[in-house]
Amino acid sequence: ASSLYIFSKFNNNYAEVKDDLVVMRQLPFNTSFTQNANVIDGKIWICSTKGIYKFDPKTQQYQLFFPDVNVSYIIPTKNQKHWISTFSYGALYIEDFNSNLIKTPDTPLRMVNSNNDIYFTTLKESIYKLNDNFQTTKIHQGNSDHTISPLLIDSINNRLLFTSSQFNIKSKTKT
């Protein structure tokens, strides 16, 4: 017979109900605040304000994914992938939980790759550079409310070409 699990939102206590027997248990980790829980393939997925935990109640082993994301729910797909809903990133389709989510200072609009760096524009007329260590640096801030698109890398002359309310050429020294 399978078990029914009842979780507290505020601490790491939970109840396991099986065969009319209720056993109080404690999670081996602190979820901060539990949003929801779902059993998928015998593992309990606990959605919290600080990520999502995959917990095996038999072995007490667990993994934490996306600790910077406020996760509200998880559902599996027919092909063993997952959808998670969040309060900070919208809905995410997860093919591999070993992937990283990179928090950016603003909403990326257009991305281009140049060597080991990725440049992206935002809705607030900014351009950021994301290096191979996933650190962001703002390299341009416009003064209008227009979006920047397109963004092109001129690697021969070492400059950016982009358009918002006007066409811009940005080198290391000037725009």
Side-chain angles (χ1 to χ4, degrees), residues 48-52 65-71 84-89 92 101:
S48 81
T49 54
K50 297 194 185 232
I52 186 166
F65 302 99
F66 315 127
D68 297 328
V69 179
N70 188 343
V71 177
I84 61 173
S85 57
T86 74
F87 288 99
S88 48
Y89 285 91
L92 301 172
L101 295 179

Side-chain angles (χ1 to χ4, degrees), residues 48-159:
S48 81
T49 54
K50 297 194 185 232
I52 186 166
Y53 293 85
K54 180 182 179 183
F55 173 59
D56 186 332
K58 291 182 175 90
T59 66
Q60 296 290 297
Q61 298 294 310
Y62 66 93
Q63 290 176 280
L64 171 62
F65 302 99
F66 315 127
D68 297 328
V69 179
N70 188 343
V71 177
S72 56
Y73 204 65
I74 181 171
I75 58 171
T77 67
K78 289 187 277 186
N79 58 355
Q80 283 71 47
K81 310 298 182 204
H82 298 85
W83 279 100
I84 61 173
S85 57
T86 74
F87 288 99
S88 48
Y89 285 91
L92 301 172
Y93 180 71
I94 307 297
E95 290 189 29
D96 179 0
F97 274 93
N98 292 319
S99 300
N100 290 321
L101 295 179
I102 301 165
K103 185 108 174 126
T104 57
D106 197 358
T107 305
L109 179 66
R110 174 145 167 85
M111 301 176 88
V112 294
N113 190 1
S114 176
N115 299 325
N116 291 332
D117 298 321
I118 293 177
Y119 293 84
F120 64 90
T121 66
T122 71
L123 295 172
K124 297 179 181 173
E125 199 179 359
S126 301
I127 300 174
Y128 288 88
K129 179 173 133 179
L130 181 68
N131 67 23
D132 55 355
N133 293 322
F134 308 117
Q135 302 297 314
T136 57
T137 305
K138 185 185 283 189
I139 59 171
H140 174 78
Q141 177 63 62
N143 55 10
S144 76
D145 61 354
H146 292 90
T147 59
I148 295 175
S149 186
L151 170 66
L152 304 167
I153 306 292
D154 177 2
S155 56
I156 295 170
N157 297 304
N158 198 20
R159 59 190 183 171

